[in-house]
Amino acid sequence: MLKKVIIFLSLMLCFTCSGHGPGVFLSNENKPIYKSSVCDPDKSFPQMILIPFFERASQIVPNCQTYPKHETALALFIFYYKWTEYFGDRDYAVRGMLEKVMIQWDTHKKVSKKGYNLKGEPFEDRNIIGRVESDSMTWVWQGYDHRISQSALFHELVHMALRAKFGTADPDHEGSKYRGWTRAHSVMIIESKQMLAAFNL
Ligand SMILES: [Zn+2]
């Protein structure tokens, strides 16, 4: 009887943890590594810190306040929660992207020679607050009022998620030159930011 119960329970567990949604991150198997990866205000900056719960994800920080790793981890959780709610992630491409992303925080904005606004209109020489640098790396200005929810992090993560899913980051957003980014992606970013702001971040 006991054997049957155990088999039943393990089957149930297999069933319920078959890997859908944000719960997949919660194992935190690398806890000892994350514990030793901490920001040290007495050392020189920038410093690279691992982001707990997200395998090899990391951030490069210009100071220890921008941002504590648990705040960045929560931002990534919220991003994935919202992404799966809107678009799903059956092939785990977005999860895989989040598990290796490197976020470089900056206290200064940058000037970009060329780019597109959200509507897809091209611009030149404009201040930018975020930019995808590669498949796994993004540069992000710290955000207005020093809040992650007021930064371009989620915007850049959508670019990277699209690249992971479809091979192109869709640089012109809702414009029609490149495909991938839809109105729903813009709305998802707004909702993710609101959710993060509810945590005072
Ligand atoms: Zn963009």
Side-chain angles (χ1 to χ4, degrees), residues 121-180:
E121 298 152 352
F123 66 73
E124 282 179 26
D125 295 319
R126 191 183 275 188
N127 269 342
I128 55 162
I129 56 174
R131 183 165 66 200
V132 172
E133 305 285 7
S134 75
D135 284 359
S136 58
M137 180 155 182
T138 180
W139 166 85
V140 186
W141 174 63
Q142 63 182 344
Y144 301 94
D145 304 324
H146 196 257
R147 280 173 175 244
I148 302 178
S149 63
Q150 302 276 350
S151 79
L153 177 64
F154 291 154
H155 178 106
E156 304 313 326
L157 288 177
V158 165
H159 279 302
M160 297 179 89
L162 290 173
R163 188 185 273 202
K165 277 260 188 251
F166 308 117
T168 168
D170 191 350
D172 78 336
H173 312 107
E174 290 180 34
S176 54
K177 192 172 176 185
Y178 304 91
R179 308 191 82 177

